[in-house]
C-alpha cells in the first residue's frame, strides 16, 4: 500500500503550506492524509478477514446453514467493498485538490492558494466518512446478531430430538458430531464479523475526533484573532466567516 504522504502532489501541497506559514491548513491536510492511510489499512485487514470467513463457511456440513451464512457474509463483504470505493474516491479527490491548489499558488499567488485550500473542506469530508462508517458498523453488527441467533437455534439438543423423531419415522439419523462442528464454525464466523463491526466503529470515531479537533482549533484561532483586534494588537484580524462554512 502506497504512503499518500509520499505522493508528489501531496508533498508539494504540504511544502507550499509550510512556506506560506499556513500551519493550521497544513495540519488539516496531514490529518486527512493520515486518516486515509488508516482507512486503507483497516479495510485491507477486513478483506483478509473475509477470506478467512469464507474458508470457515466451506467447513459447514449443513447445506442450508451454509447458504444462510453465505448470504450474511456476502452482505458484509459488499459493505467493505463499498467503503473501499469511497476511500479511493476520497484519495483521488484529495490528490486532485492538492494539484489544483498548488497550481493556483504558482499562477495567481498566495490569496488564490488560500482560497483553493479552503475549498477542500477537510472537516466536512471527515463528517461524511464518520457517517458512512457508523452505518457500516451498524449493518455488520446486525449481521453478527443474525449469526448468533442461528447459532443459538442450532444446538445439539434440538438435533438429538430430531434424530429420535427420525428413528421413529424409520428415517436415517444425522451425525451429531457434524452438528456440533457446524455450531463451532458459526461461532468462529460470528467473532470475525464482530471484529469487522468494531473496525468500522473505530474508523467512525476516529473521523469524528479529527473533525472535532479541527473545529476546536478554528474556534480558538477565531477567539484569539477577535481579542487581538479588540485590543488593537498589530496583526490581529477578525475573520469574515469561518472556514468550515466556506
Amino acid at each position: 500500500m502506497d504512503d499518500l504522504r509520499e505522493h508528489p502532489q501531496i508533498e508539494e501541497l504540504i511544502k507550499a503550506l509550510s512556506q506560506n506559514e499556513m500551519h493550521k491548513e497544513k495540519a488539516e491536510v496531514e490529518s486527512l492524509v493520515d486518516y486515509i492511510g488508516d482507512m486503507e489499512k483497516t479495510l485491507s485487514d477486513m478483506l483478509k478477514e473475509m477470506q478467512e470467513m469464507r474458508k470457515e463457511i466451506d467447513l459447514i456440513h449443513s447445506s442450508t446453514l451454509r447458504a444462510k451464512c453465505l448470504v450474511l457474509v456476502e452482505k458484509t463483504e459488499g459493505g467493505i467493498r463499498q467503503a473501499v470505493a469511497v476511500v479511493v474516491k476520497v484519495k483521488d479527490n484529495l490528490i486532485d485538490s492538492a494539484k489544483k491548489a498548488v497550481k493556483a499558488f504558482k499562477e495567481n499567488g498566495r490569496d488564490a492558494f488560500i482560497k483553493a485550500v479552503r475549498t477542500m473542506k477537510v472537516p466536512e469530508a471527515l463528517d461524511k466518512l464518520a457517517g458512512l462508517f457508523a452505518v457500516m458498523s451498524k449493518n455488520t453488527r446486525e449481521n453478527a446478531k443474525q449469526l448468533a441467533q442461528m447459532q443459538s437455534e442450532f444446538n445439539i439438543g434440538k438435533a438429538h430430538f430430531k434424530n429420535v423423531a427420525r428413528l421413529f419415522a424409520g428415517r436415517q439419523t444425522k451425525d451429531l458430531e457434524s452438528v456440533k462442528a457446524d455450531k463451532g464454525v458459526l461461532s468462529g464466523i460470528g467473532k470475525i464479523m464482530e471484529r469487522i463491526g468494531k473496525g468500522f466503529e473505530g474508523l467512525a470515531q476516529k473521523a469524528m475526533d479529527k473533525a472535532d479537533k479541527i473545529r476546536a482549533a478554528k474556534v480558538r484561532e477565531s477567539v484569539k484573532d477577535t481579542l487581538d483586534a479588540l485590543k488593537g494588537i498589530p496583526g490581529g484580524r477578525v475573520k469574515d466567516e469561518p472556514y468550515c462554512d466556506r
Side-chain angles (χ1 to χ4, degrees):
M1 191 184 308
D2 295 334
D3 186 348
L4 186 55
R5 278 180 177 268
E6 297 177 359
H7 191 282
Q9 302 293 352
I10 301 301
E11 283 187 333
E12 196 170 10
L13 172 62
I14 291 176
K15 182 180 178 181
L17 290 169
S18 294
Q19 290 174 342
N20 285 274
E21 297 185 351
M22 296 170 63
H23 305 300
K24 176 174 61 66
E25 289 82 359
K26 177 174 176 286
E28 290 180 17
V29 171
E30 289 177 331
S31 180
L32 182 56
V33 168
D34 289 343
Y35 184 66
I36 289 173
D38 290 339
M39 287 191 293
E40 288 180 321
K41 183 181 184 308
T42 300
L43 293 173
S44 177
D45 290 342
M46 286 182 182
L47 289 174
K48 291 177 183 176
E49 293 266 41
M50 294 306 304
Q51 292 177 359
E52 292 301 315
M53 204 183 294
R54 287 185 176 278
K55 290 179 183 178
E56 290 290 313
I57 288 179
D58 290 339
L59 299 176
I60 296 177
H61 295 83
S62 169
S63 59
T64 301
L65 186 62
R66 188 165 58 249
K68 289 181 179 180
C69 285
L70 190 59
V71 170
L72 293 177
V73 168
E74 287 179 345
K75 282 173 62 178
T76 302
E77 186 171 348
I80 296 172
R81 296 198 179 280
Q82 180 186 348
V84 169
V86 170
V87 173
V88 170
K89 184 176 180 180
V90 170
K91 187 175 180 179
D92 289 344
N93 286 345
L94 178 58
I95 292 171
D96 184 59
S97 296
K99 180 179 179 180
K100 290 178 179 177
V102 172
K103 182 180 179 181
F105 175 52
K106 291 179 178 179
E107 294 180 354
N108 301 301
R110 190 174 188 275
D111 289 343
F113 183 46
I114 292 173
K115 184 177 181 181
V117 171
R118 284 176 174 172
T119 62
M120 296 171 73
K121 297 184 178 180
V122 174
E124 289 85 349
L126 289 168
D127 286 338
K128 291 179 180 179
L129 290 168
L132 168 68
F133 290 129
V135 171
M136 295 292 186
S137 177
K138 179 182 178 182
N139 291 344
T140 304
R141 288 180 181 276
E142 285 297 323
N143 293 340
K145 284 182 182 179
Q146 290 186 46
L147 275 172
Q149 291 173 355
M150 289 165 59
Q151 184 182 0
S152 64
E153 294 171 359
F154 197 72
N155 58 65
I156 299 296
K158 184 179 292 186
H160 181 71
F161 178 79
K162 288 183 178 179
N163 273 343
V164 172
R166 286 190 178 91
L167 282 172
F168 278 111
R171 296 162 58 193
Q172 186 176 1
T173 60
K174 289 190 175 181
D175 184 4
L176 292 182
E177 287 301 317
S178 295
V179 174
K180 185 177 180 180
D182 286 353
K183 186 179 179 183
V185 172
L186 279 180
S187 177
I189 294 173
K191 289 177 181 177
I192 295 175
M193 203 166 284
E194 279 288 344
R195 288 200 298 270
I196 291 173
K198 289 180 180 178
F200 278 132
E201 184 180 5
L203 287 175
Q205 187 61 54
K206 189 173 292 186
M208 286 189 287
D209 290 344
K210 284 181 177 290
D212 288 344
K213 185 176 180 180
I214 290 171
R215 290 195 175 95
K218 292 181 189 300
V219 171
R220 286 195 298 270
E221 183 188 37
S222 178
V223 170
K224 181 179 181 299
D225 286 344
T226 300
L227 291 175
D228 288 349
L230 291 172
K231 292 176 182 178
I233 297 176
R237 61 193 185 282
V238 180
K239 299 209 177 272
D240 56 345
E241 57 179 307
Y243 168 62
C244 61
D245 291 336
R246 290 179 185 270

